Amino acid sequence: QVRLVESGGGLVQAGGSLRLSCEASGSISSIVMGWHRQAPGKQRELVALIISGGNIKYSDSVKGRFTISRDNAKNAVYLQMNSLKPEDTGVYYCRFGTPGFYYWGQGTQVTVSS
């Protein structure tokens, strides 16, 4: 059965870096791999997406600071986060699938202190 396992979250000071990873098991369509985040009291928002053909989309708030990549052989997606800000704090969720149907990871907490 399909499972998405995330790792790499934690506590870091402003200006620091973290690297998130997510690996999927089972038979799923992985046309789209991506990351979303949700802060307390706010809706889940897009952080970054990477498509099978190589196209990448970033939220304006993370452009120039975050880098998304994928390893198709491992069915894995990664998010390198640099120059972290307190407003980056939230639960980060990976996403595998298609624009119309996808699976979510369980979420990993990222906390950035000032």
Side-chain angles (χ1 to χ4, degrees), residues 35-52:
W35 293 92
H36 297 240
R37 67 187 180 190
Q38 186 169 19
K42 293 188 176 182
Q43 293 185 319
R44 189 175 300 185
E45 65 175 349
L46 170 70
V47 176
L49 295 174
I50 183 166
I51 315 302
S52 62

Side-chain angles (χ1 to χ4, degrees), residues 9-81:
L11 174 64
V12 66
Q13 290 188 329
S17 298
L18 287 172
R19 181 177 173 86
L20 306 183
S21 65
C22 180
E23 185 169 347
S25 62
S27 297
I28 64 171
S29 296
S30 299
I31 297 173
V32 178
M33 298 182 181
W35 293 92
H36 297 240
R37 67 187 180 190
Q38 186 169 19
K42 293 188 176 182
Q43 293 185 319
R44 189 175 300 185
E45 65 175 349
L46 170 70
V47 176
L49 295 174
I50 183 166
I51 315 302
S52 62
N55 291 333
I56 295 173
K57 179 180 179 181
Y58 292 103
S59 167
D60 288 341
S61 65
V62 306
K63 285 182 179 178
R65 300 188 297 118
F66 291 10
T67 302
I68 188 171
S69 60
R70 61 189 283 166
D71 185 333
N72 292 328
K74 295 181 178 180
N75 287 326
V77 63
Y78 309 95
L79 186 68
Q80 179 66 46
M81 304 185 294

